[in-house]
Amino acid sequence: MTVEKVLTEKGSVEEFQSKVLKLKLFGSFLSNPVEKSSILYKTCLLYHRMHYNTILTSLDADKLRVIRKDAIALLSTIKADSDSLSICILKNIIGVINVIENSNDTGLLLENHNALKAVTLHSSDVILLLELEIIYYTKNFINIIENSTFRIPNMENAVVLYYLDKICEQTTKFDQIKSSFLKFYCQIKFGKIQDNEVLKFLETLTKNLTFPNATEISSNNNQLELDWYLCIILNYYDNFSQENLKKWEHIVTLIISKTFQNATVVGIASKLYYKFDIFDKSEVFFNNYRIYNEKYLEFHKRYEDAFSILNLANNVQNKESIIHFVNIIYNCFELNIISKKDSLMVFESNKFNSVTIPKVVNDILVDSWIVLYEKNDVNKNVDEAFYCLSNILQLNLSSEMKLKYEYEYAYNLALIKQNEKACAWLKDKVLSVKPEFNLKSWLLLAIVESSKEDKMNALTIANSILSPLEDYDGDGDEGETVDIPKLSFKDRYYYIIFKFMQLDIITDIHGIKDSIELLTNLFQLYETLFSEYENTELSVKNPRFSKQYVLQLVWIQASKMYLLDKQKADALNCLHELSDIKAQFINLNALNMKGFINNDISQFELVLGYEPTNLIALNGLSNMLLAKQDNKSLERANELTALCLKLTTGINNNIQCQFNGQLQYNLYKLYVKLGHSRELQKQVLLTTVENLENDTILDPWILKLI
C-alpha cells in the first residue's frame, strides 16, 4: 500500500511516519509524500542528505555546511517538549558535521547520546542508528563493547549495519566484546573463525536444547538466542568445509528436531547443500524456507526480513524467488528500477548510478541482477538481458565489475546490430576508462566498426593490436608491449580472432589474392601464441578452452579463403590437416566447411542434428536447396516447407539467426517460392535490408568462449 493510500483511506499519520523512518533506516527516501510539511519528514530528509554526502557517496564538505545550516534552522522551530525524536536526529546531523570539520568537536554528540534515553521505545531502531553514529564519530567504542545485550539488526536496517561494520572494523580485540551475538558476528564477518569452531559453538548451544511446548514457542530464550546466532550464519557465513558436511547435517537435523518450524536453520541447510552441488536437497530445503516465510507474512502482514530471503535466493540461485523479492524490495523501499521498455535507452537518458544505498544491501541487489542476467538465455530473451544489465549498472559497483557489465551491455547491443550505440558505448564507458590490456573490448569495437561501408577504422584497430605481436622476437625488448608468456588463454584466442578479422577486411577491401598472401602470418601467429603454451583450462564441458580448438579454427579460416579463391584442392587439404588434430569434440564449423567445399547437403544436415539453430548450417542448406531447379512436385513443396520451418525456428530461437541478413534473405526467397502473402514478403524483405546494412565482418557471437 502506498503512503498516499494510507493517508487517504486511513488518515494514519503514524503509518506515514513509520514509512519515513523505515526508508531512512534502509538508506533510501520517500518520494513525493503527501505530508511534506511534517517535521519528521523534513528532519529525515536532512538526515538522508547528510548520509548521502557522507556514507553513500564521497564526502562533500560544502554541501554538509548547507545541510547543517538547514538543520539548525529547522531545530529552532521545534518546541523542546514536542518532538524529541526529530530533535535528537537534528542534533546528530549538526554534531556529525561538527566532528567532520573538527574531530575534537564532539560535545553536541555526547550530549545527544544522553538525551536518547528519554525518546520513546517505538523508535528503537532509529535510536540504535543514532547511538551507533555517535559511537562511530566520537570513537567511544567502549559503549558498544560493554553492551552485553546487543543484537545484530536486520539487513533492512542497512544504515545501522553500515555504522556497526565501521565500528567492528576498528574493534580488533573481539574477545573484549561483552555481547556474545556481536562477538560471533565480528568473528564471522571480520575475523578468521574456522568451520570447526563454528560447529563446536553450535554443538554447545544445542546441547541442552529441548522442543518447546505451545506456551514456550515465542518466549523460550534458548530457542530465541539460537535463532539469532543462526541468522548470522545464514546471512554472513560461507566457509562451509566439505569434510564437515556430515557434522553440519547432524547439527541441522538436531536443531530441526528440537525447534518449531525454524526457518533459519532450513535456509542454512539449503545454502550448505547448494555449495556442495547437492542441488535436489538444496531445492527441497529452500522451498520449505519459503513456505515458513510465507506463513510469517500471512500472520504478520510483512516479511520478517526480505533481504535475508533474497540473499539466500541469490546463494542458491533460485530465479523465481529472486524476481519476486527484487520487485518487493524495489517497491517497498522506493528504489528506481529501469523497466524493460527503457532498458535500451539508458545511454540517451544518462540514468546511471541512480540507486544509491548502503553497501550491505547494494551488494545483495547486485548479486540478484547478476544471477538473473547469467540465468537468462539471450537467444530467447534479449530484452531480459538489457533489463538486468541496465539495473546492474544503476547500483554501486567496483571499478572492475562496472567495466565487466558495461562491456556486456555493449556486447548485447552488438548482438542485435545496434552497432552505432555499441560503438559509442564502448568508447565512452569502457575504452575511455581502460584502454590498455583490454583486448576483448577492442575486438568488439573493431567488429561493430566493420559494419560501416568504409572499414578502415576496423582494419586500423586490427593492425594496431596485431603489430606488436607480429614483431615479437621473444627477447623482451623494451619496444615490445605484449608479454606473451603471461597472456591468458582468452587473450590468445582474441588475438587469433583479430587476425581473422584483419584477413577478412583485407579480402573485402582489396580482394582475396592480397589476403591469401598473409595466410602464412596467421600460422606464425598461432605458433607464437600456442606452440609452447600448456592450456590448463581444458575441460570436457568447455572444449573451446583448448589450443586444439583454436588450431581447428585456423585451418577452417585458411580453407574458407582458399575456397573463396576457387582453390578447391587447397581448401580440401586444409580440412585434411584439420581432421588430423586430436580432439575430444566434434567441430561443427569443420563439418559446415566440408559442406561448402563439396556441395554436400548431408554435412549441413549433420550439423543441424547436433544444433538445430546453427546459423552457418542453415545458410549453407538454404543456399543449396534454393539453387536446385524448381518443379511443381509435392516432394519439392515439402522440401521447401521443411526448410522454411527450419529457418523460422532458427530465427525465433537464436539471436544470431534473428539478426543475420543472409538468413533473412533466404527466408524471403522461400516465402516468394511458397507463395506467402505480399505483406509478409515485404515485412521480411525490410528486415533483410536492415540486417544486411548492419552486418559485420565477424559475428559478435565469436567472442563468447563459453
Side-chain angles (χ1 to χ4, degrees):
M1 183 177 289
T2 64
V3 173
E4 289 81 1
K5 284 185 179 178
V6 168
L7 291 173
T8 302
E9 296 174 9
K10 296 184 178 179
S12 173
V13 174
E14 290 80 9
E15 288 196 32
F16 168 70
Q17 291 180 338
S18 176
K19 177 78 172 181
V20 171
L21 292 174
K22 181 180 180 180
L23 267 62
K24 180 72 231 69
L25 288 163
F26 172 73
S28 58
F29 201 72
L30 192 64
S31 59
N32 301 317
V34 174
E35 289 292 324
K36 287 187 178 180
S37 60
S38 160
I39 292 296
L40 183 63
Y41 172 78
K42 291 180 179 179
T43 298
C44 287
L45 178 56
L46 283 171
Y47 204 21
H48 181 70
R49 286 169 57 195
M50 186 201 81
H51 286 149
Y52 187 85
N53 290 286
T54 53
I55 71 175
L56 299 180
T57 60
S58 56
L59 193 144
D60 191 319
D62 291 335
K63 289 181 180 177
L64 288 175
R65 293 188 193 98
V66 174
I67 294 166
R68 179 174 58 188
K69 181 181 176 182
D70 292 344
I72 292 170
L74 182 58
L75 184 61
S76 68
T77 67
I78 306 174
K79 293 180 181 179
D81 59 348
S82 64
D83 192 340
S84 57
L85 180 60
S86 291
I87 290 171
C88 287
I89 293 174
L90 289 167
K91 285 184 176 179
N92 251 44
I93 294 170
I94 298 164
V96 165
I97 298 171
N98 288 346
V99 171
I100 288 171
E101 285 197 337
N102 178 1
S103 59
N104 295 319
D105 191 1
T106 59
L108 183 59
L109 286 180
L110 294 173
E111 174 193 313
N112 202 34
H113 197 210
N114 293 324
L116 290 176
K117 297 171 185 175
V119 181
T120 54
L121 288 176
H122 77 273
S123 304
S124 58
D125 289 332
V126 181
I127 300 307
L128 177 58
L129 168 58
L130 294 168
E131 285 180 335
L132 290 178
E133 193 164 54
I134 291 168
I135 290 169
Y136 174 67
Y137 280 102
T138 60
K139 308 299 180 187
N140 285 327
F141 300 147
I142 193 69
N143 286 320
I144 193 168
I145 290 172
E146 294 289 332
N147 185 347
S148 61
T149 62
F150 188 91
R151 297 206 313 266
I152 308 306
N154 284 351
M155 283 185 163
E156 292 180 359
N157 295 334
V159 184
V160 183
L161 282 170
Y162 168 84
Y163 281 118
L164 179 63
D165 286 354
K166 284 294 184 182
I167 293 166
C168 291
E169 285 171 3
Q170 298 178 50
T171 309
T172 54
K173 297 179 180 178
F174 299 145
D175 290 341
Q176 296 179 0
I177 297 173
K178 296 292 178 66
S179 166
S180 57
F181 304 114
L182 182 57
K183 183 188 295 185
F184 189 59
Y185 174 80
C186 288
Q187 288 172 329
I188 280 182
K189 197 165 184 186
F190 305 103
K192 296 180 180 178
I193 192 168
Q194 299 299 309
D195 198 41
N196 285 325
E197 296 174 84
V198 176
L199 282 164
K200 187 176 180 181
F201 181 74
L202 288 177
E203 286 167 2
T204 303
L205 287 175
T206 56
K207 189 174 183 181
N208 298 316
L209 197 65
T210 58
F211 193 86
N213 60 39
T215 60
E216 291 179 328
I217 287 174
S218 60
S219 60
N220 187 305
N221 287 334
N222 289 337
Q223 302 246 353
L224 291 174
E225 287 183 7
L226 173 63
D227 199 52
W228 292 331
Y229 290 117
L230 293 176
C231 284
I232 295 170
I233 294 173
L234 177 65
N235 289 330
Y236 305 107
Y237 187 68
D238 195 37
N239 198 29
F240 302 105
S241 171
Q242 176 79 58
E243 63 188 28
N244 288 330
L245 178 58
K246 293 294 182 184
K247 291 181 181 179
W248 273 106
E249 288 179 323
H250 171 72
I251 286 288
V252 166
T253 304
L254 183 65
I255 294 173
I256 290 174
S257 68
K258 292 188 176 184
T259 57
F260 179 75
Q261 293 188 348
N262 190 302
T264 312
V265 74
V266 171
I268 291 170
S270 179
K271 184 177 179 180
L272 172 77
Y273 283 124
Y274 193 88
K275 176 163 186 179
F276 298 124
D277 299 337
I278 309 173
F279 300 123
D280 53 346
K281 287 187 177 181
S282 176
E283 185 177 357
V284 168
F285 277 102
F286 184 80
N287 288 337
N288 287 334
Y289 178 79
R290 275 293 307 269
I291 290 169
Y292 290 157
N293 278 283
E294 293 301 326
K295 284 290 182 186
Y296 187 95
L297 172 67
E298 185 180 332
F299 287 116
H300 298 86
K301 308 306 178 188
R302 63 179 179 84
Y303 287 106
E304 188 170 12
D305 187 352
F307 264 97
S308 288
I309 308 171
L310 180 61
N311 191 38
L312 178 59
N314 290 341
N315 274 287
V316 302
Q317 299 200 9
N318 187 288
K319 184 177 178 180
E320 179 187 347
S321 292
I322 292 172
I323 293 170
H324 179 71
F325 284 98
V326 161
N327 285 323
I328 285 176
I329 286 166
Y330 272 77
N331 287 330
C332 181
F333 295 105
E334 302 215 355
L335 304 177
N336 176 59
I337 192 166
I338 294 183
S339 67
K340 290 182 183 179
K341 176 184 165 186
D342 296 332
S343 61
L344 265 168
M345 302 296 292
V346 289
F347 191 76
E348 292 85 347
S349 60
N350 201 26
K351 287 185 177 179
F352 298 108
N353 302 107
S354 60
V355 177
T356 309
I357 50 179
K359 179 175 172 56
V360 63
V361 285
N362 173 86
D363 291 354
I364 291 172
L365 289 177
V366 169
D367 288 345
S368 297
W369 289 114
I370 289 174
V371 172
L372 293 178
Y373 175 67
E374 291 180 348
K375 277 190 164 288
N376 177 60
D377 183 352
V378 70
N379 281 310
K380 296 179 180 177
N381 200 342
V382 68
D383 290 343
E384 187 76 19
F386 284 111
Y387 173 60
C388 295
L389 286 169
S390 59
N391 281 293
I392 290 172
L393 295 172
Q394 298 308 292
L395 293 155
N396 186 21
L397 307 172
S398 67
S399 55
E400 184 178 345
M401 189 179 286
K402 188 173 178 64
L403 273 173
K404 176 182 177 180
Y405 290 103
E406 297 280 19
Y407 166 84
E408 287 292 322
Y409 194 94
Y411 173 74
N412 280 277
L413 285 171
L415 287 182
I416 62 171
K417 300 296 174 67
Q418 294 281 330
N419 295 323
E420 288 188 15
K421 275 189 180 181
C423 185
W425 188 282
L426 279 166
K427 290 176 180 178
D428 187 60
K429 302 293 179 185
V430 182
L431 291 168
S432 65
V433 177
K434 188 183 179 183
E436 297 180 336
F437 310 111
N438 199 351
L439 264 184
K440 182 168 63 171
S441 297
W442 283 112
L443 180 51
L444 181 58
L445 180 63
I447 287 173
V448 294
E449 286 276 12
S450 74
S451 66
K452 298 176 180 177
E453 188 174 347
D454 182 357
K455 295 179 172 46
M456 286 308 299
N457 280 353
L459 184 58
T460 300
I461 295 170
N463 290 342
S464 300
I465 294 293
L466 291 169
S467 177
L469 269 181
E470 294 179 333
D471 295 336
Y472 184 83
D473 60 16
D475 293 333
D477 294 340
E478 289 185 8
E480 293 173 354
T481 58
V482 180
D483 190 352
I484 291 179
K486 292 183 179 179
L487 287 176
S488 68
F489 178 86
K490 284 187 177 181
D491 280 345
R492 294 167 194 270
Y493 171 80
Y494 295 142
Y495 274 123
I496 293 295
I497 303 305
F498 254 121
K499 190 64 182 179
F500 293 169
M501 165 154 277
Q502 182 194 57
L503 294 172
D504 287 350
I505 294 176
I506 290 172
T507 300
D508 187 85
I509 296 175
H510 302 293
I512 188 63
K513 297 295 184 187
D514 284 12
S515 57
I516 273 189
E517 291 179 5
L518 299 173
L519 262 180
T520 303
N521 299 113
L522 171 60
F523 286 94
Q524 288 173 344
L525 180 62
Y526 174 83
E527 286 297 313
T528 301
L529 291 167
F530 288 98
S531 61
E532 298 179 2
Y533 177 63
E534 290 300 323
N535 176 29
T536 58
E537 297 178 278
L538 175 62
S539 71
V540 175
K541 290 183 180 178
N542 297 314
R544 292 186 179 191
F545 277 104
S546 66
K547 54 187 178 183
Q548 291 92 343
Y549 175 79
V550 180
L551 183 56
Q552 286 188 351
L553 290 184
V554 169
W555 281 112
I556 290 169
Q557 175 72 17
S559 181
K560 180 185 80 173
M561 292 173 68
Y562 281 125
L563 182 62
L564 198 60
D565 196 37
K566 297 183 172 45
Q567 298 184 49
K568 184 176 178 179
D570 288 329
L572 285 170
N573 286 337
C574 291
L575 285 187
H576 180 72
E577 293 286 345
L578 188 154
S579 65
D580 288 342
I581 299 170
K582 293 181 180 179
Q584 295 178 336
F585 53 87
I586 296 173
N587 193 316
L588 301 184
N589 296 313
L591 297 178
N592 280 325
M593 199 67 230
K594 190 183 292 185
F596 284 116
I597 294 172
N598 296 322
N599 290 321
D600 186 352
I601 285 180
S602 67
Q603 296 300 314
F604 299 125
E605 290 174 336
L606 181 58
V607 171
L608 294 172
Y610 287 107
E611 190 179 292
T613 62
N614 186 285
L615 171 64
I616 298 172
L618 286 172
N619 270 328
L621 184 64
S622 299
N623 293 341
M624 294 189 68
L625 290 180
L626 286 167
K628 287 172 64 175
Q629 187 69 35
D630 269 336
N631 58 59
K632 304 219 180 215
S633 69
L634 180 60
E635 182 183 355
R636 176 60 172 166
N638 289 339
E639 183 180 62
L640 294 178
T641 301
L643 177 61
C644 187
L645 179 61
K646 286 184 171 69
L647 298 196
T648 52
T649 300
I651 288 167
N652 291 332
N653 293 283
N654 187 325
I655 199 168
Q656 286 178 280
C657 297
Q658 184 181 349
F659 291 94
N660 182 264
Q662 183 58 52
L663 193 69
Q664 294 278 357
Y665 185 51
N666 284 331
L667 183 61
Y668 164 73
K669 288 190 285 187
L670 271 172
Y671 280 179
V672 172
K673 285 181 178 292
L674 291 170
H676 286 291
S677 70
R678 290 292 181 88
E679 187 59 36
L680 190 56
Q681 292 178 32
K682 180 181 176 183
Q683 184 181 337
V684 175
L685 187 58
L686 288 172
T687 305
T688 297
V689 171
E690 183 180 352
N691 285 333
L692 286 172
E693 285 177 350
N694 291 306
D695 265 353
T696 51
I697 288 289
L698 295 179
D699 193 311
W701 200 264
I702 200 169
L703 286 165
K704 278 286 183 186
L705 259 170
I706 298 177

